[in-house]
Amino acid sequence: MSEQEMPTLGGEYQYGFKDDITPVFTTGEGLTEDIVREISAAKNEPQWMLDFRLKAYKIYQRLSMPNFGPDLSTLDFEHINYFRRDTDKVARNWEDVPEDIKKTFDRLGVPEAERKYLAGSSAQYESEVVYHNMKDDFTKLGIVFMSTDDAVQQYPDLVKQYFGKLILPQDNKMAALNSAVWSGGTFIYVPKGVKTDVPIQSYFRINEGNSGQFERTLIIVDEGASVNYVEGCTAPNYSQDSLHAAVVEVNVLKDAYCRYTTIQNWSDNVYSLETKRAQAFENATMEWVDGNLGSKITMKYPSVYLNGEHARGTMLSIAFAGAASDGTGIDSDTGARMIHNAKNTSSSIVSKSLCKDGGQVDYRGQVRFGRDSDGSFAHVECDTIIMDDKSASDTIPFNEILNGNVSMEHEAKVSKISEEQLYYLMSRGISEEKATEMIIMGFVEPFTKELPMEYAVELNRLIEYQMEGSVG
Amino acid sequence: MLDLKKYPDVAAYVQAVAEPKWFTEKRIEALDELKNLKMPSFQKIRYRNWPIRVKKDLNNVKSEIPLPEDIDENAVTMVQTGQQTLLTNVSEKLQKQGVIICDWKTALDEHPELVKKYFMQKAIKITENKLTAEHVAKLTSGILVYIPKNVILKDPLTMYFIQDALQKIDYVHHVLLVADINSEVSYLENILTVGTEKTTANIIVEVIALEGSHVKFASVDRLGKNTTVYLNRRGYLKRDAKIDWSLGMMSDGNIVGDYDSELVGAGSHAETKVVAISTGEQVQGIDTRVTNYGRNSIGHILQHGVILQRSNLVFNGIGHVEKGAIGADAQQESRVLMLSRYARGDANPILLIDDNNVTAGHAASVGRVDEQQLYYLMSRGLPKKMAERLVIRGFLGPVLAAIPSRSIQIELENMIERKLVDGQKDE
Amino acid sequence: MSTLEVKDLHVSIEGKNILKGVNLKLATGEIHAIMGPNGTGKSTLSEAIMGNPAYKVDQGEILLDGENILDLPVDERARAGLFLAMQYPAEIPGVTNAEFIRGAINARRAEDNPISVRNFLKKLDKTMSFLDMTEEMADRYLNEGFSGGEKKRNEILQLMMIEPKFAILDEIDSGLDIDALKVVSKGVNEMRGQDFGSLIITHYQRLLNYIVPDVVHVMMDGRIVAQGGPELAKQLEDEGYAGLRDELGLDIKLTDEDA
């Protein structure tokens, strides 16, 4: 762990800068049926999508907020700006992105990352994708990578077949809201048998306060194909809260493989209320790798519906909740759901959580073995470290078993930093601060080792930043 | 002056049994509050459409059930059938030590100070929910057990509580066990049903373990198929007190088991072991909670369940460490064996941790009978089904071994055997 | 020359008095052994010198080069030159052995002058091969899943990499077979020299055949009851602790003595 690998950071959220951008088009604050129509019209959408939005809007009005988890009463839906377009066209190279926005992504290191180690990259700024590009090698393989808005125009059949099928608008209020006002997000189609290990990345940025970002991501990995998708998120610090309510649907067809990695690092004025769901068909593998470091409140429980024999689903997650800049604690309520609907399916959930300075980290999960899940297996492991007496953690897993021929193992531990480990490291001359950091890094290592190298370094940096001043 | 006009059934009942006024006041308080209270809520236990509310009027009813033949009169402490007490066996020695074991009526008449101090005051509040209030309003049977300071009882106290389902009457029963400072007691209760009428049982057990006391509490529940049960057992533990719960849930009907230990005192310790067999089409919802308030308090939960036929078993295990419970330990383990493809089992181990200086953990598993063990037994020539039953008996061992009476252990083993044989037929 | 001096040390754990006035002085260039029956406070002495927060010093002083170090936290004592090879080293998943040792070395150096990766690896490879350790031990997580012998070897590896002034070896021989014992001894003998002192805590004389001490102290019931040269260890081997106790006329019950 050299000084080069782990530089020391200043004590501030380093992505908290903002830009002054005048939108080209916005629907202003609040939401009505007319605004839903306006959004659809601004995108020049086909009638079926408008119908879908309008139906979802009605469902949104009918549903109530979740009756579990963090307190969402402070979220002010009236003053959110539901749609904001900052540029007229999606650029294919960074030179064409408006200068101010490009500067933002430069500071976030997005173009550099793309040059170095990505197969393709896209960037969403507020409501819409401002940039996307894929290297020629991958385009030639027939991989489709574009904004979901573009996909509605260019691949209407595929979109119609899969869009809104895994997550119905009535699933929950935030899914309904997203279905009504969605904009942007990523569409990926990997043709049969096409395999790529090189990651494709999307970067999501909220710039204005009171913003709503409702991206909609749809991934289809065709039979025998594979894809490795990474998303990152940041936002400036504002006194007004922003809402990020994404919907992500992933379809992993027979023998296919998908890994979906998220590094969520929203500033602590963002409510991140996401619905993410995948289905894995026969012998397919779906892997969620999910890091939650930011946000004021996060509610997210990605799921895998194991719908074909021998399908596999995994979730590997870390969550870190510390103090928010307004003096309260960050509340991270995350987890996973594994739904075994076919024979000989397997799933694994490994969740690592940390909290300090009044933060609350909760694990909330579900493993369900349906009637036809003979021979299936599930493994769940939740580990939490509560670093001080101001912080708290709940672990709430539900395990539902409707088949006699399955097996499930579930384990969880909650503790403070081990004094024995601390003493041992310090007895070798390592300071308490450094020793604490080492133990924490070791604790999340099962997660970081699964990240692409550049992300692992980034994540270690973020954790180190979060850990600052945690001793003494 | 008590105004009983609103509740004529209460008026008639208290007159018939000559109930002390102070207790009738509690009934009225409960009845008046009832409409403002909520039903208790448990994760994943859906019981709202069951006939679990005690709807019938308060009524003084005689029971015709005789003393069951298999009960050894000399070996039991008390036998109650319905609202009656058939037999009380309290030795002179116990009486001299100041031990009190009496039925509810006697408790109200002769030990009002104990009842007033502890009944629904410490462990459970009358107005905690609709079912606790209903319990107080409709209470018609029960016992009081009091172990004085420093008294150590070697022999277990054995109780039989027989629900009368020959008649269409609800069964509302209360156990109040107070273990005074540094006392020790081993207590075993058998709750069973005679008759097959569709009835409701609302049973609350309060164990008050004062400083340094140790209570070994064992139970064998065998309530009937047509009895819908709310069974609330709760311990309240002061400094350095310990309760060992060993709860065998062998009832045949739908049941909500609400088990809780409140670790109020520093160094208090609760070990809760629950085993359950679910058969037929029954639903058993078991919500076992331990709440650590005291420093260095220890709360352990172990739940083992076997699910057969078309039944449904829900195990919630909740370890709750309150802020300030420094050095607390909360551990739990729930294991479920699924022996039928038509059954359903839920194992929900929940940790709610509000302090950091704690050790907390849980484990849960669901699976079939251990293949290795099965193979080993079968390699010795046992037929598969018999081997399976032996493995399961081992799985239920933690509670079986804690039953303080050999004859009841054997009875329980036979009962498990019967249930397993029946269940295996449907496989 | 450096000195480590323990003066009239009284230590308790959870209110129970374990050390009842220990006096000891050791200088670099010397190797001392502390022998004694089980439960007499040998490990307590080593943990108290290192600064384990679970052990409470009620009275006395611990001086390193004449400075009282009792107020120093464990990491500062380590950087001041103390090292304790522990009887039960902690396991730390996720942190590799190599990065941990490098961290420990760099903690002793100026922040802008860390040991270069090349020099570090060179020294690590050399030391590991000296201790017959396989290369993969460097990349395994710190003590996680190590066998008893691997853990002890790893303690000696750290000792040789960190090069402290004083090393306390707490029952480094327990649970070791003869080959492992030889390797561990080889490591300590390699360190032997004018800039290194060691306090070897052991129940058995066997280890002292391989690391010959300059001074042997015998501890019973929280005190040092006898001192001598290597021959004292031999005498113990022959007569046992009970024999020595009776010779000294002490009224002490030994825990591993049959009742």
Side-chain angles (χ1 to χ4, degrees), chain C residues 103-204:
Chain C
I105 290 172
N106 282 335
R108 289 164 169 78
R109 300 170 66 111
E111 220 168 280
D112 55 0
N113 183 30
I115 186 170
S116 78
V117 176
R118 206 172 137 255
N119 288 345
F120 171 75
L121 287 178
K122 224 165 94 185
K123 184 171 179 181
L124 184 68
D125 285 348
K126 201 178 112 206
T127 316
M128 286 181 69
S129 82
F130 182 80
L131 293 172
D132 289 339
M133 292 170 79
T134 54
E135 267 176 47
E136 51 110 29
M137 295 292 286
D139 296 322
R140 279 175 66 184
Y141 294 146
L142 183 50
N143 293 328
E144 196 189 38
F146 282 26
S147 71
E150 283 173 334
K151 280 185 183 165
K152 294 291 164 75
R153 251 178 240 229
N154 203 36
E155 294 290 286
I156 300 299
L157 172 68
Q158 292 171 37
L159 167 70
M160 297 182 73
M161 293 295 291
I162 290 173
E163 300 180 11
K165 288 184 200 158
F166 291 103
I168 307 162
L169 311 180
D170 187 6
E171 308 244 355
I172 196 80
D173 50 339
S174 74
L176 288 190
D177 62 32
I178 197 74
D179 291 334
L181 190 70
K182 281 181 184 165
V183 169
V184 163
S185 308
K186 192 170 113 183
V188 178
N189 286 327
E190 176 74 13
M191 291 291 293
R192 213 164 177 160
Q194 282 316 303
D195 301 324
F196 176 73
S198 184
L199 194 58
I200 296 173
I201 289 177
T202 181
H203 183 79
Y204 302 105

Side-chain angles (χ1 to χ4, degrees), chain C residues 2-248:
Chain C
S2 283
T3 55
L4 175 64
E5 188 173 6
V6 175
K7 275 187 174 167
D8 190 28
L9 192 67
H10 288 68
V11 176
S12 59
I13 318 172
E14 290 170 355
K16 199 177 161 220
N17 293 328
I18 310 289
L19 296 190
K20 301 167 183 171
V22 173
N23 290 289
L24 189 80
K25 190 168 178 180
L26 141 104
T28 44
E30 298 172 1
I31 288 189
H32 292 214
I34 296 190
M35 302 187 66
N38 288 330
T40 51
K42 301 189 300 293
S43 291
T44 301
L45 176 63
S46 53
E47 295 288 357
I49 294 173
M50 196 66 235
N52 187 329
Y55 295 74
K56 192 168 161 278
V57 174
D58 300 312
Q59 195 179 317
E61 289 178 320
I62 300 172
L63 307 170
L64 183 62
D65 293 330
E67 298 278 330
N68 193 350
I69 57 169
L70 277 180
D71 288 338
L72 297 184
V74 49
D75 58 321
E76 289 181 32
R77 294 189 198 192
R79 291 197 295 272
L82 295 186
F83 181 92
L84 172 60
M86 298 193 193
Q87 206 174 344
Y88 305 106
E91 302 189 357
I92 298 158
V95 177
T96 67
N97 219 358
E99 70 179 311
F100 156 67
I101 294 173
R102 188 147 66 101
I105 290 172
N106 282 335
R108 289 164 169 78
R109 300 170 66 111
E111 220 168 280
D112 55 0
N113 183 30
I115 186 170
S116 78
V117 176
R118 206 172 137 255
N119 288 345
F120 171 75
L121 287 178
K122 224 165 94 185
K123 184 171 179 181
L124 184 68
D125 285 348
K126 201 178 112 206
T127 316
M128 286 181 69
S129 82
F130 182 80
L131 293 172
D132 289 339
M133 292 170 79
T134 54
E135 267 176 47
E136 51 110 29
M137 295 292 286
D139 296 322
R140 279 175 66 184
Y141 294 146
L142 183 50
N143 293 328
E144 196 189 38
F146 282 26
S147 71
E150 283 173 334
K151 280 185 183 165
K152 294 291 164 75
R153 251 178 240 229
N154 203 36
E155 294 290 286
I156 300 299
L157 172 68
Q158 292 171 37
L159 167 70
M160 297 182 73
M161 293 295 291
I162 290 173
E163 300 180 11
K165 288 184 200 158
F166 291 103
I168 307 162
L169 311 180
D170 187 6
E171 308 244 355
I172 196 80
D173 50 339
S174 74
L176 288 190
D177 62 32
I178 197 74
D179 291 334
L181 190 70
K182 281 181 184 165
V183 169
V184 163
S185 308
K186 192 170 113 183
V188 178
N189 286 327
E190 176 74 13
M191 291 291 293
R192 213 164 177 160
Q194 282 316 303
D195 301 324
F196 176 73
S198 184
L199 194 58
I200 296 173
I201 289 177
T202 181
H203 183 79
Y204 302 105
Q205 195 264 339
R206 188 177 66 154
L207 176 67
L208 306 183
N209 291 335
Y210 299 96
I211 310 172
V212 180
D214 301 302
V215 184
V216 173
H217 309 261
V218 180
M219 210 170 150
M220 282 188 202
D221 193 31
R223 288 186 189 88
I224 288 178
V225 297
Q227 254 176 42
E231 71 287 348
L232 182 55
K234 292 268 193 307
Q235 182 193 343
L236 278 174
E237 176 86 342
D238 300 337
E239 298 173 14
Y241 289 109
L244 180 70
R245 175 196 58 185
D246 299 341
E247 196 183 309
L248 294 169

